[in-house]
Amino acid sequence: MSGPIVGGGPVAVATLPTDPPGRGRRWWQEVSPPQWKAMFAAWIGYLLDGFDFVLITLVLTEIAADFRLSTATAASLISGAFITRWLGGAVLGAMGDRYGRKAAMISSILLYSLGTFACGFAWDYTSLFVARLVIGLGMAGEYSASVTYVLESWPLRWRNRASGFLISGYAGGTVLAAELYKWVVPHWGWRWMFWIGVLPVLVALWVRRALPEAGDWQKEIGAAATRSAEGRPNPFRPLFTGRLRSGGNAVLAVAASVALFLVFTPLGAGYVPWLSATAALCLTAFAVQLGGRRGWLLYVSLMATVFCAFLYSWPIQALLPTYLKTGLGYAPGQVSDVMFYAGFGTMAGCWLAGFAGDRLGTRRAYAYTLLASLVFVFPVFAVRDSLPALGVLVFALLALSQGISGILPKYLAGHFPTATRAASVGFVYNVGALGGAAAPVLGAHLAEGMPLGRALAVLTFGLTLVVILLVGGNVPQRLGRLVDRQAPDDHLVPAAGGAATGGAAALSATSDSTSTSTATSASALGDVSTDSA
């Protein structure tokens, strides 16, 4: 089912996610050509996003040598892109809620591409750090825009699968970057890796011309928005309900940004605990306001869950190339080989996560897969002399630990209605992503008292257990229901009539009542049977 979209450029059709009967058909036959096109476009954007973002991890040692940086200072360059993610996720997410997922996705691609291109011209630590801040803005928006776009376009019962397929693009980007690294850097130097990263601009131009709008957004919001500007949602309205509150929130935004900048640069040395507490309080204040009386506890608990997820995954993701070069003495070609295994392991894991999520339910698939990954954590760092054995173990570990992040978008997006989904996912995910900023620095500091490999293993194992408890125990939703007992189990589950639950709840009282009745009728379907508390 499709309908016209009014907007600039050629007329496109929205990929409405109504499920066909599907009896006797394979799952891929139930996905229409426009829905496959939507997936391909978003996947390519996310692949190039992954390519741009991981470049810094591959060339970190070369940059440290050129700029004469310590390991901890060099690691803060990885953290730089995380500092602005909370802002980029919120602002570009709000753009996606108000003007459509497509516009937000194009803006995000342009931002991270131009930021990566600028990295190639950096002349010192500070200029490179600033370029990384721009990348963080774009990457945050790409996540929320692509995730909501694909999830709202695909058939309802295959949305875990859609989530896994999409996030596998990021892993594909890491594989592409690792392969180019061994050819480009030895011949032309590290700067050329960043200059190549401007290519996603071409993808943005293609997306602008050819991509349809997301089905859920077009059906529930886009049609009303074309009739009246009042039909457009404004997720940030709670932050600007008066002059006093507006001014106070502006101060909070500046304080959070400055505190995070100081935390992850040498300028904040000696004050990191106080600065971290300041940033945490400011961002929590935003979460409480955005969530409102009924949703604030859900926002805060989801932020904490994502934070822990980044803490367990990013020590290996960010510092594995450094470990291979400094701990094992691997040459650039050997590092590329291991990163090749790692990237394809993550990609395969994303696919596995999507199928497992549709079969077992999102939460159960998440918890069971992470539990299985613990078997491989310490063996990965015990192998020293066998590249094939290390490659196989890294493949297995990342397939089960990093790969499960393929359904993290589905897990998060299911907590929010369509009208505020992109902004909510963008804010919650990217504030939690600050765990990824802390992880490499924490790993580097732990490595000062023990071998780097052991430090990475300890962090990964311990924090994976924490995430298993949070997601498997349904902790965020349980806490959220302490203040909102009427919250649906999942806003993305199938509902009577083929609509997702809670879609237009934030638009009007009429749509709010419709959403409530839809959520009630959906309670016996889909993931509710496997994800309920």
Side-chain angles (χ1 to χ4, degrees):
M1 183 182 297
S2 62
I5 295 178
V6 178
V11 176
V13 293
T15 54
L16 298 183
T18 303
D19 282 338
R23 295 190 180 278
R25 306 173 68 194
R26 300 293 185 181
W27 69 266
W28 60 83
Q29 295 173 320
E30 297 182 25
V31 183
S32 68
Q35 290 166 341
W36 278 115
K37 182 179 181 180
M39 169 62 74
F40 178 73
W43 188 87
I44 289 293
Y46 210 58
L47 177 141
L48 295 171
D49 183 358
F51 175 86
D52 280 9
F53 194 75
V54 302
L55 292 182
I56 193 73
T57 69
L58 292 168
V59 299
L60 196 60
T61 52
E62 288 83 1
I63 291 173
D66 271 9
F67 295 159
R68 298 181 180 180
L69 307 175
S70 67
T71 300
T73 301
S76 70
L77 290 170
I78 300 172
S79 305
F82 288 89
I83 294 173
T84 51
R85 284 183 64 151
W86 73 272
L87 183 60
V91 172
L92 290 169
M95 175 190 289
D97 286 332
R98 189 165 178 82
Y99 299 106
R101 315 312 192 197
K102 177 178 170 180
M105 191 153 49
I106 294 169
S107 301
S108 302
I109 292 173
L110 291 175
L111 267 177
Y112 75 67
S113 300
L114 296 176
T116 299
F117 188 63
C119 287
F121 295 97
W123 58 90
D124 60 6
Y125 169 83
T126 301
S127 58
L128 184 55
F129 195 93
V130 170
R132 294 286 296 165
L133 296 178
V134 176
I135 293 174
L137 287 171
M139 185 181 186
E142 170 69 8
Y143 186 93
S144 59
S146 295
V147 160
T148 52
Y149 177 75
V150 170
L151 288 175
E152 293 172 3
S153 298
W154 263 46
L156 296 164
R157 59 180 166 273
W158 304 131
R159 288 185 168 181
N160 277 295
R161 214 158 293 190
S163 181
F165 289 164
L166 172 64
I167 302 304
S168 73
Y170 182 92
T174 67
V175 172
L176 181 62
E179 287 301 297
L180 282 176
Y181 169 78
K182 66 181 180 183
W183 295 105
V184 172
V185 173
H187 295 92
W188 297 303
W190 60 268
R191 294 181 185 273
W192 272 99
M193 290 292 289
F194 291 107
W195 290 334
I196 292 172
V198 77
L199 294 178
V201 170
L202 300 177
V203 176
L205 296 176
W206 174 69
V207 166
R208 170 68 182 87
R209 182 172 182 81
L211 199 67
E213 186 53 86
D216 282 359
W217 186 90
Q218 176 62 20
K219 180 171 62 175
E220 300 180 28
I221 299 168
T226 59
R227 293 191 299 269
S228 170
E230 295 179 358
R232 297 185 183 275
N234 182 6
F236 286 166
R237 184 176 289 113
L239 303 181
F240 302 100
T241 54
R243 181 174 299 179
L244 183 61
R245 175 171 286 192
S246 298
N249 284 323
V251 172
L252 286 177
V254 172
S257 300
V258 171
L260 290 171
F261 181 82
L262 293 175
V263 164
F264 296 112
T265 62
L267 297 175
Y271 300 96
V272 169
W274 296 104
L275 292 168
S276 300
T278 299
L281 289 173
C282 292
L283 295 174
T284 300
F286 282 126
V288 170
Q289 294 178 78
L290 291 172
R293 182 172 58 86
R294 291 188 174 184
W296 69 270
L297 197 51
L298 176 66
Y299 270 66
V300 173
S301 56
L302 284 174
M303 282 162 43
T305 300
V306 176
F307 186 85
C308 292
F310 270 82
L311 276 182
Y312 92 72
S313 65
W314 264 86
I316 290 179
Q317 196 169 171
L319 294 178
L320 181 60
T322 299
Y323 165 72
L324 295 174
K325 286 184 275 188
T326 62
L328 300 184
Y330 279 10
Q334 293 173 305
V335 172
S336 291
D337 289 339
V338 176
M339 295 304 293
F340 184 85
Y341 282 109
F344 268 106
T346 303
M347 183 180 292
C350 288
W351 299 335
L352 172 66
F355 283 89
D358 284 333
R359 185 171 183 84
L360 302 175
T362 308
R363 288 193 304 105
R364 288 184 179 177
Y366 212 117
Y368 292 163
T369 306
L370 283 183
L371 193 62
S373 75
L374 296 178
V375 175
F376 298 95
V377 174
F378 286 99
V380 161
F381 296 100
V383 174
R384 305 192 65 85
D385 301 321
S386 175
L387 182 60
L390 179 60
V392 170
L393 288 171
V394 165
F395 180 94
L397 173 62
L398 295 191
L400 296 171
S401 62
Q402 312 281 2
I404 196 60
S405 65
I407 57 174
L408 181 59
K410 167 62 172 62
Y411 172 75
L412 293 175
H415 291 89
F416 305 109
T418 304
T420 59
R421 183 172 293 139
S424 299
V425 170
F427 181 79
V428 165
Y429 176 83
N430 289 293
V431 170
L434 286 169
V441 177
L442 182 58
H445 281 300
L446 278 179
E448 294 174 359
M450 65 177 73
L452 179 59
R454 186 185 303 171
L456 297 180
V458 168
L459 280 175
T460 300
F461 191 93
L463 288 160
T464 298
L465 285 175
V466 174
V467 176
I468 291 171
L469 294 174
L470 289 173
V471 176
N474 203 20
V475 172
Q477 193 169 73
R478 288 175 184 271
L479 291 175
R481 283 181 174 165
L482 294 177
V483 293
D484 183 11
R485 295 185 179 277
Q486 303 302 316
D489 292 275
D490 190 339
H491 287 274
L492 285 169
V493 298
T501 65
L507 293 180
S508 67
T510 302
S511 58
D512 186 43
S513 61
T514 302
S515 171
T516 302
S517 63
T518 303
T520 302
S521 65
S523 62
L525 298 174
D527 275 356
V528 176
S529 62
T530 52
D531 280 3
S532 59

